[in-house]
Amino acid sequence: MDTQTLTWIFVGASFALYIGIAIWSRAGSTSEFYVAGGHVHPIANGMATAADWMSAASFISMAGIIAFSGYDASVFLMGWTGGYVLLALLLAPYLRKFGQFTVPDFIGERYYSRVARVVAVICLIIISFTYIAGQMRGVGVVFSRFLELPIEWGVVVGMGIVFFYAVLGGMKGITYTQVAQYCVLIFAYLVPAIFISMLITGNPVPQLGLGAEIGGEPVLQKLDRTLVDLGFTAFTSGSKSKIDLFAITLALMVGTAGLPHVIVRFFTVPKVSDARRSAGYALVFIALLYTTAPAVGAFARLNFIESVHETPYKTAPGWVKTWENIGLIAWTDKNDDGVIQYGPGAPFEGRAAFTGETGSNGERLVSNAQTANSNEILVDRDIMVLANPEIANLPGWVVALVAAGGVAAALSTAAGLLLVISASISHDLLKKTFRPQITERTELMAARGSAAAAIIVAGWLGINPPGFVAQVVALAFGLAAASLFPAILMGVFFKGMNRDGAVAGMVAGLAATLAYIVWFKSPWFAGMNGPENWLFGISPEGFGSIGMVINFAVAFAVARFTAPTPSHVRAMVDDIRVPRGAVAPPPTH
Amino acid sequence: MSASANEEENKKQYWRENVKLLCILLAVWFLVSFGAGIIFVDALNAFQVGGFPLGFWFAQQGSIVVFVILIFVYAARMKQIEKRLGVGDE
């Protein structure tokens, strides 16, 4: 059977599985819709959290980022895992003890204020929509590459599937589908990684293979030497400044802990102690992929250089042409020798503009102006994971498996995000703020309706991605770090933090971070985006950590000069701090 | 001392021990990631362990492993403290 057919079968079978689970686990009450009734086993919740967390970016892009930026990519590895320590130690147990449905629920009750709740909803919606557009796009890319559908159709199919199980099953449906999706995606990630590690180093464990030797030389040393010979910086040393590395890592860690779709997963376990353990399991499941990614990245870079550099285009491996066909690889023969030369720097100015004609070697010609360096090949870093099985000559079913895994990663994250958006609209805005009189039935209908509406908006963003959004994934983390995380942390650990302080802190942190990112990332000021203009040398990606400091500073300053926290709220905080007496969320209210 | 006053004291004691444990574990969290992986990475890269420059290993593998351990240590220690002070959830 050819790879194409196998891919249809794998992706189709995984869809059938997700739909089957959705039918089996329909939600009957708001509690089931929002938090799966609070009955999810900690290990199952750990898997669901891992799938929820690991997006198309983790699955498709991360190894590619590591491959092309080496040590500098450590910020993502540490940042996206270290946040779970903060979550498990500082937030999850207390939020579970609090025992409501959403993150704005906590902020609204703890700060005894509708304004605080609405500000939290606004933060949540901005964060979640920024994130979700990328997921839908990820589904589209996988479909277009492996199933040769237009990207738009890929997005529509993805929307249809998510629609079915998110709207029908709510959190309950999503949780059990995510467990299945985790299994699919981790299997799809590990199988090719193990194969490649075996091929290159003879060691089947990629984490150890990365430290193994090829021909008497450690892999990393060989990669460093190869790269330096070609004029790149060494793989194991970076080019970012220490302060920027520090700020980005901190913003990603704190942002991870403050992402609403991750936090809300810990509302679904039965007990406070389960919330702690569940965060541990989640990180184990995430670490399986995240410790594999550096190995995949390093092997891919080595493989790529060996199979492309100084290879005549005519005898280049088939995958070069396949990816060239969809525009993610481009070659321009600067010295007219018919041989591909690879080196640092962009081969030509800007994005590849294909003329539609082919050159003397059969390559797709581009009309871009050539640059002065000797590099002739443009490669999109996102193809590394997807192309890896082909680069390493693995069988067709591995390629098909990777396609199913990429779709699983994108769908699981999209569903989790859609759910927090719909819950914040139907529960926080409607039930708790504007229409308290509605019945549970109406609220459940509103939840399903807003999930459906959110899917349509997300799909539209996936089909028409504003170029701006693609660049601002950092926005989601920065905003979560600067707004929600400090508000929750102070709510638990500082009884003296009052309504005015928390609201002022959230608004200040959000506004400062948003302003800094928009300033440097918007098309109008793009020329400004460089270390010489950055505050303290901190890039927009890392500014969330400054936003967080601003949030804390403003909150404490304002709290000093405004009315103290009322005694019933102090009593509530005392109660949240001890695990005894945790109850499942109310079935109706 | 009445039973309820004793219970209140236990809750306070529980919170103090929790915060102390948090500080210790977060110090480790900081040292393996920001410390070994970023601030002292160049110094540590002078050592080769199992084919890895040590600083690079902490940044891309070691810190993640330590994070996992930290969470399970916290969960286990908290369970002990809760049992001793009778404030647990089971």
Side-chain angles (χ1 to χ4, degrees), chain A residues 133 136-137 151-153 155-156 159 457-465:
Chain A
M136 285 298 174
R137 194 72 185 167
I151 287 190
E152 293 75 22
W153 278 103
V155 173
V156 171
M159 277 166 66
V457 176
W460 186 83
L461 286 173
I463 294 172
N464 307 297

Side-chain angles (χ1 to χ4, degrees), chain A residues 263-283:
Chain A
I263 294 177
V264 79
R265 290 238 46 102
F266 296 93
F267 287 59
T268 66
V269 293
K271 286 180 307 200
V272 175
S273 52
D274 293 334
R276 290 193 283 255
R277 277 199 302 148
S278 195
Y281 290 126
L283 189 54

